[in-house]
């Protein structure tokens, strides 16, 4: 995953607030966009180097601004309004500590713990990198910073309240926390390049496992789940959630996600935030819907039906960093056949999910 500083808020939403909000909202949105751009640039070299040598941030903890030295498995820090130079901040809570009383600290702690437990208990994965990487989170980043992100070695949360997210909303949503931590899983497995269709797949895998963490915690059936990401954390005037996996383009006012390839948005992968690194947040709605459709077709617990297929595709070593939708789709059909049998209901559901979003698949040999 080259040069990824992966934030939960799509640039188009931040830009809309910057263009149409009041002076305070405009200022907060612009500062969030500018800070995001600076962070991405500064993380690019580190991400490439770590991946080239097969390293985890835990292996290079001596480097400046990286995860702290070995310590508790789950640690939350307070940046107290500082920027990246202040990371990780003041240690507030570790694995053996009681709740701090600061909602942001305790929500970040609980969200990281539940995400790690999900990957361990469902897939046997040892933390984000598969090698026991300590979970490091920093809260109260920036001033009314309207984003949360995985920066290559830790989680960082702004307080929101800048016109996009309700104050405190970014640590309140377990699927947002799991989404961002899954960017770390992708970083240490498929390494999907953060641009164009591979970047949209990167975002989609994070939404998939973010949704599954929430559904498992709630004991939800795939057909009963809302398939909303970030439900209830946007300013109410904007909408109900950040994304709808089952109905892309309906989550908030101005939601520009297409629901199938007929409406695919072809954008350049440049530094203009309007282009979203080639549409990584925009077009992720297409593979999102493919997964949700497959899960709903099968019903039951999605983390036990199609979830293992997507996990194997992400972590099994066969998905290339530059994979497009068609390559990912073909691999999910193959893996479903390997896992459940050729012509199984599970394989047919996976195939049907991709067909629903009009991604071309190899011909069915039956």
């Amino acid at each position: 995953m080259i040069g990824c500083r992966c934030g939960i808020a799509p640039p188009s939403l931040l830009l809309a607030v910057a263009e149409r909000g009041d002076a305070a909202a405009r200022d907060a949105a612009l500062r969030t966009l500018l800070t995001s751009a600076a962070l991405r640039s500064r993380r690019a070299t580190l991400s490439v180097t770590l991946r080239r040598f097969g390293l985890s941030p835990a292996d290079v903890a001596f480097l400046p601004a990286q995860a702290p030295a070995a310590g508790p498995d789950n640690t939350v820090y307070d940046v107290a309004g500082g920027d990246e130079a202040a990371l990780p901040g003041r240690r507030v809570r570790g694995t053996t500590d009681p709740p701090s009383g600061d909602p942001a600290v305790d929500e970040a702690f609980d969200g990281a713990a539940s995400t790690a437990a999900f990957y361990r208990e469902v897939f046997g994965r040892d933390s984000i990198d598969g090698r026991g990487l300590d979970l490091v989170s920093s809260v109260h980043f920036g001033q009314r910073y309207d984003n949360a992100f995985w920066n290559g070695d830790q989680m960082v949360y702004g307080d929101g309240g800048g016109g996009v997210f309700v104050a405190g909303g970014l640590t309140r949503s377990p699927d947002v926390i799991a989404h961002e931590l899954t960017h770390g899983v992708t970083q240490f497995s498929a390494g999907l390049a953060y641009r164009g269709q591979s970047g949209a797949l990167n975002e989609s895998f994070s939404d998939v496992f973010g949704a599954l963490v929430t559904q498992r915690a709630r004991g939800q059936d795939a057909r009963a789940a809302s398939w909303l990401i970030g439900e209830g954390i946007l300013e109410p005037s904007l909408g109900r959630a950040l994304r709808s996996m089952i109905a892309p383009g309906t989550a908030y006012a101005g939601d520009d996600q297409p629901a199938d390839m007929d409406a695919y948005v072809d954008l350049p992968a440049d530094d203009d935030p309007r282009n979203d690194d080639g549409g990584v947040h925009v077009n992720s709605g297409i593979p999102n819907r493919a997964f949700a459709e497959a899960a709903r077709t099968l019903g039951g617990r999605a983390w036990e039906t199609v979830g293992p297929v997507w996990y194997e595709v992400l972590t099994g070593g066969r998905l290339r960093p530059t994979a497009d939708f068609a390559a990912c789709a073909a691999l999910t059909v193959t893996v479903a056949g390997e896992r459940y049998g050729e012509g199984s209901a599970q394989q047919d559901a996976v195939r049907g999910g991709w067909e629903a979003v009009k991604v071309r698949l190899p011909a069915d040999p039956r």
Side-chain angles (χ1 to χ4, degrees), residues 8 33 49 64 86 101 115 190 198 210 241 268 294 305 353:
I8 191 70
L33 284 164
T49 303
T115 301
S198 60
T305 57

Side-chain angles (χ1 to χ4, degrees), residues 161-197:
V164 176
F165 297 100
V166 296
L170 287 160
T171 53
R172 199 174 300 155
S173 174
D175 42 75
V176 166
I177 293 174
H179 169 109
E180 291 303 327
L181 286 169
T182 298
H183 281 304
V185 176
T186 300
Q187 174 181 337
F188 296 113
S189 54
L192 289 162
Y194 204 66
R195 60 180 179 271
Q197 288 193 17

Side-chain angles (χ1 to χ4, degrees), residues 15-62:
L15 282 165
V17 171
E19 291 169 354
R20 296 193 290 270
D22 60 23
R26 178 179 182 274
D27 178 67
L30 287 174
R31 281 190 283 106
T32 299
L33 284 164
L34 291 171
T35 301
S36 298
L39 288 168
R40 178 173 302 159
S41 175
R42 292 170 64 180
R43 288 292 167 181
T45 300
L46 176 63
S47 297
V48 172
T49 303
L50 288 177
R51 179 162 179 79
R52 177 177 178 181
F53 291 98
L55 297 174
S56 155
D59 298 319
V60 289
F62 58 86

